[in-house]
Amino acid sequence: MLFSTAMKQTLTLAVVVMALLAFVEVRSQERAKTIAERLGYARDAKLLIVHADDLGMTHSVNAATIKAFETGLVNSGSIMAPCPWLSEIAVFARANSQADLGLHLTLTSEWTSFRWGPVSSRDRVSSLLDKDGYFRLTESEAAAQADPKHVEMEITAQIERARALGIQPTHLDSHMGTLYQNKELFEIFLRVARTQKLPVRVARTWFSRADFLPSVLSQDDVYIDRILDIDPTVAPQDWAKFYSDALKKLESGVTEVVIHLAYDDAEMRAATANHPDWGAAWRQRDFEFFTSDAFRKILQENNIKLITYRELGKLGK
Amino acid sequence: MLFSTAMKQTLTLAVVVMALLAFVEVRSQERAKTIAERLGYARDAKLLIVHADDLGMTHSVNAATIKAFETGLVNSGSIMAPCPWLSEIAVFARANSQADLGLHLTLTSEWTSFRWGPVSSRDRVSSLLDKDGYFRLTESEAAAQADPKHVEMEITAQIERARALGIQPTHLDSHMGTLYQNKELFEIFLRVARTQKLPVRVARTWFSRADFLPSVLSQDDVYIDRILDIDPTVAPQDWAKFYSDALKKLESGVTEVVIHLAYDDAEMRAATANHPDWGAAWRQRDFEFFTSDAFRKILQENNIKLITYRELGKLGK
């Protein structure tokens, strides 16, 4: 028996609808999986990104971070394109194309003896500049004064400069968190990141303190569970204990520990003069802990697996 | 007896003409004097400016130069306004307003791991930039590509940025000699310097190798007799001997010894990597000789007097 044309059309439509429903179901199941599962780990796996910020800032930062990368214990980092030592870290990036290097998009120049300004033409991003032509000192000033068009132009220019130097960024984050200061800036950040098909640093635990985040993020955006970073209230002698304790009680899911590596040398002391928080000695302490056998042992004993933004980035594509 | 009106007018005119002639004669005699005489020294005095270049480039350069200034043996220097450590040297300049600090006008970014670009908006001085948005690597490329309007805009912007940071420059010179590469660039340099009422680094001994110099300079411009600088062919172990010999046979008149001070440390080695000429060890050797008791003794024994651009600048006003 032959089907009438009307029946054929109805059947075709039904098949299409069923296929669509099945696809949505699969996607929905896929989305219901944790990132750990999507990466092939157990649902309760403890996954860690050990992420060094501020690459390109000084030679001291570059040298310490490259040394830490060689241990395999620090496995991710992000680069500041406006900074004077960008070219040095670009040489490393070109020679280590599998290294997990993102861009630390920068709209502040926070040290007083050592400064930097935009990659874009100054007169096209005037709202981002202080009276001396550098980026502003603080993230709150930068966010309050920034013209959104200037922000989009400048962060795009930073990505373009990095790519021109042979850096293929695996992710994006924001120096001093300027791009998370308000919804408008975060929307620009996310729009640029989606255009570039790159994951951004966002943690689910941030949703409570930046309540605009969930409304801007979509289910296609990949974001991690939490950020671990040390606080200026931790005394220098308690540095290793702080990190050890935090790692021993690490929850399952994806955690990014954000660290700042450099040597406590003349360059770094001068760059961070009069500012012990995130200063030269702070960065030397981070370097020492995250390149130590003690840290390696904690990872092993607590079954913590290191992952990178390169793997996370593939989930969002 | 009373003079007629016509006679009075004639007499007045004669007196004015005589006064003018006398003035011209005094000025002419003044010009015939050597700079040494005009500064109050004997005609055959040996006058020396000990001049450190590249201030603001790195912390290492700044720290070594400030240390050398404290000895009194290095008494002049010039600052690179586009460089990242400008703010650090500006703090020194503000706190030491009598220090003889000029501007080392910069149109090149010659190191490969560590780079800088213009003070002006990039899109207004595009001829000065390489493909990555930094100044070009060499003075010959920079001079060959530079649009004269861009050069004038950029060097003026460098002077303005320095003044905005509280640096009151006493003189101007040109990093890597870019502004002496051809007549057109030198004319711009001199026009800006005259507008700013600042002396420029020009030596009479340069006239033979840059034959356009005399035609651009006027008798109102103050310039020195010769530049003394060490050559890459001098072996490291002969460093002190080269300078000692040159100073012991110093001719009378004004000599500027152009030196490059920094410490042979991690920052400076990385900044000047793969380039021993004017590299970290070179600059440490310059630092050691020009802060030594041996140098102090040579000055005394050879009756060499230190002068600065601050004094030369007053002659041109």
Side-chain angles (χ1 to χ4, degrees):
Chain A
M1 193 181 85
L2 294 172
F3 294 112
S4 72
T5 305
M7 280 182 75
K8 275 187 195 163
Q9 285 174 342
T10 307
L11 269 170
T12 305
L13 186 65
V15 168
V16 167
V17 167
M18 284 164 65
L20 271 172
L21 284 171
F23 177 75
V24 167
E25 175 64 11
V26 167
R27 292 278 290 179
S28 167
Q29 283 171 1
E30 184 70 16
R31 294 298 169 203
K33 286 184 179 173
T34 63
I35 288 181
E37 289 169 305
R38 292 169 66 195
L39 290 174
Y41 294 94
R43 188 172 178 88
D44 64 349
K46 298 175 187 176
L47 305 179
L48 185 68
I49 302 168
V50 186
H51 190 284
D53 280 17
D54 297 355
L55 280 63
M57 174 191 168
T58 58
H59 170 67
S60 185
V61 166
N62 287 350
T65 306
I66 290 169
K67 185 84 179 164
F69 270 44
E70 287 169 2
T71 65
L73 292 171
V74 175
N75 69 341
S76 186
S78 57
I79 298 171
M80 300 170 79
C83 287
W85 290 87
L86 171 66
S87 295
E88 183 181 62
I89 200 70
V91 170
F92 175 81
R94 290 195 299 269
N96 295 272
S97 60
Q98 285 309 301
D100 193 48
L101 293 169
L103 295 181
H104 201 49
L105 299 171
T106 301
L107 299 173
T108 47
S109 169
E110 69 273 28
W111 311 106
T112 51
S113 54
F114 168 66
R115 309 212 60 197
W116 53 76
V119 168
S120 326
S121 255
R122 283 190 175 75
D123 57 7
R124 301 184 71 189
V125 292
S126 55
S127 70
L128 307 182
L129 309 182
D130 71 6
K131 64 175 177 48
D132 299 320
Y134 301 113
F135 285 138
R136 297 179 195 281
L137 288 168
T138 67
E139 68 278 30
S140 54
E141 278 176 284
Q145 301 294 327
D147 177 328
K149 290 190 297 295
H150 296 175
V151 171
E152 184 154 358
M153 179 179 296
E154 174 60 20
I155 65 178
T156 303
Q158 291 181 16
I159 296 167
E160 286 169 358
R161 171 178 281 186
R163 289 196 197 278
L165 291 179
I167 298 164
Q168 301 299 336
T170 57
H171 62 287
L172 300 176
D173 55 44
S174 168
H175 183 54
M176 297 172 71
T178 307
L179 294 168
Y180 310 99
Q181 292 289 305
N182 60 53
K183 186 178 179 184
E184 191 170 24
L185 290 177
F186 185 68
E187 282 173 334
I188 294 166
F189 181 26
L190 209 57
R191 182 164 66 243
V192 169
R194 286 169 180 164
T195 305
Q196 301 279 340
K197 301 194 192 307
L198 292 174
V200 303
R201 175 189 285 167
V202 181
R204 198 181 303 272
T205 48
W206 286 356
F207 290 3
S208 58
R209 67 178 192 200
D211 56 9
F212 58 82
L213 286 173
S215 69
V216 183
L217 290 162
S218 84
Q219 64 171 12
D220 287 325
D221 295 309
V222 174
Y223 43 90
I224 64 172
D225 293 296
R226 69 193 69 81
I227 297 285
L228 169 63
D229 54 353
I230 202 162
D231 187 279
T233 60
V234 177
Q237 65 274 20
D238 296 332
W239 220 253
K241 184 178 187 313
F242 171 88
Y243 285 124
S244 300
D245 289 352
L247 291 166
K248 284 175 187 168
K249 60 183 183 192
L250 195 70
E251 293 175 71
S252 64
V254 182
T255 303
E256 179 180 355
V257 56
V258 173
I259 63 178
H260 297 83
L261 304 181
Y263 296 121
D264 184 13
D265 62 10
E267 178 196 21
M268 208 63 209
R269 285 183 201 177
T272 62
N274 307 316
H275 201 289
D277 295 352
W278 296 276
W282 171 305
R283 292 170 193 246
Q284 176 82 41
R285 291 194 297 273
D286 268 6
F287 175 80
E288 280 165 15
F289 181 78
F290 285 96
T291 59
S292 69
D293 287 336
F295 173 51
R296 191 185 296 275
K297 207 171 154 202
I298 289 169
L299 294 180
Q300 287 162 350
E301 289 179 352
N302 294 276
N303 202 22
I304 297 168
K305 306 289 183 197
L306 298 188
I307 64 162
T308 66
Y309 271 104
R310 188 177 293 281
E311 295 151 76
L312 292 183
K314 287 175 187 158
L315 300 184
K317 282 174 186 166
Chain B
M1 195 176 83
L2 295 174
F3 293 114
S4 71
T5 305
M7 281 183 73
K8 276 187 195 168
Q9 285 174 341
T10 307
L11 268 172
T12 306
L13 185 65
V15 168
V16 168
V17 168
M18 285 164 65
L20 273 172
L21 285 170
F23 176 74
V24 167
E25 175 62 14
V26 167
R27 292 277 289 180
S28 165
Q29 284 172 2
E30 185 68 18
R31 295 296 169 204
K33 285 183 179 175
T34 63
I35 289 181
E37 289 170 305
R38 291 168 67 195
L39 290 173
Y41 293 93
R43 190 172 179 88
D44 64 350
K46 298 174 186 176
L47 304 180
L48 185 67
I49 302 169
V50 186
H51 191 282
D53 280 17
D54 298 355
L55 281 64
M57 174 191 168
T58 58
H59 169 67
S60 185
V61 166
N62 287 350
T65 306
I66 290 170
K67 186 84 178 165
F69 269 43
E70 287 169 1
T71 66
L73 293 171
V74 175
N75 69 342
S76 187
S78 56
I79 298 170
M80 299 170 80
C83 288
W85 291 88
L86 171 66
S87 294
E88 183 181 62
I89 201 69
V91 170
F92 175 80
R94 290 195 299 270
N96 295 272
S97 59
Q98 285 308 302
D100 192 49
L101 293 169
L103 295 182
H104 200 49
L105 299 171
T106 301
L107 300 173
T108 47
S109 170
E110 70 273 30
W111 310 105
T112 51
S113 54
F114 168 67
R115 308 211 61 197
W116 53 77
V119 168
S120 325
S121 261
R122 283 190 175 75
D123 56 8
R124 301 184 72 188
V125 293
S126 55
S127 71
L128 307 181
L129 308 182
D130 71 7
K131 65 177 177 46
D132 299 319
Y134 301 113
F135 285 137
R136 298 178 195 282
L137 288 168
T138 67
E139 68 277 30
S140 53
E141 278 176 282
Q145 301 294 328
D147 177 329
K149 291 190 297 295
H150 296 174
V151 171
E152 183 153 0
M153 179 180 297
E154 174 60 20
I155 66 177
T156 303
Q158 291 183 15
I159 297 168
E160 286 169 359
R161 172 178 278 186
R163 289 196 196 278
L165 290 179
I167 298 164
Q168 301 299 335
T170 58
H171 61 287
L172 300 176
D173 53 46
S174 168
H175 183 55
M176 297 173 72
T178 308
L179 294 168
Y180 309 99
Q181 292 289 306
N182 61 52
K183 186 177 178 184
E184 191 171 24
L185 290 177
F186 186 68
E187 282 173 333
I188 294 166
F189 182 26
L190 209 57
R191 183 165 66 243
V192 169
R194 287 169 180 164
T195 306
Q196 301 279 341
K197 301 194 189 310
L198 293 174
V200 303
R201 176 189 285 167
V202 182
R204 197 180 304 270
T205 47
W206 287 355
F207 290 3
S208 58
R209 67 179 190 199
D211 56 9
F212 58 81
L213 286 173
S215 68
V216 183
L217 290 162
S218 83
Q219 64 171 12
D220 287 326
D221 296 308
V222 174
Y223 44 89
I224 64 173
D225 293 296
R226 68 193 72 80
I227 298 284
L228 168 63
D229 53 354
I230 202 163
D231 187 280
T233 60
V234 177
Q237 65 272 20
D238 296 332
W239 220 252
K241 185 178 187 310
F242 171 88
Y243 285 125
S244 299
D245 289 352
L247 291 166
K248 283 175 187 167
K249 61 185 181 189
L250 194 70
E251 293 175 71
S252 63
V254 182
T255 304
E256 178 180 357
V257 57
V258 173
I259 63 178
H260 297 82
L261 305 182
Y263 296 122
D264 184 13
D265 61 10
E267 178 196 21
M268 208 63 210
R269 285 182 201 178
T272 62
N274 307 317
H275 200 290
D277 295 352
W278 296 276
W282 171 305
R283 290 168 195 246
Q284 177 81 41
R285 292 194 295 274
D286 267 6
F287 175 80
E288 280 165 14
F289 180 79
F290 285 97
T291 59
S292 71
D293 287 338
F295 174 51
R296 189 185 298 276
K297 205 170 155 203
I298 288 169
L299 294 180
Q300 287 162 351
E301 288 179 352
N302 294 275
N303 202 24
I304 297 169
K305 306 291 183 196
L306 297 188
I307 64 163
T308 65
Y309 271 105
R310 189 178 292 282
E311 295 151 75
L312 293 182
K314 287 176 187 157
L315 301 183
K317 284 172 185 168

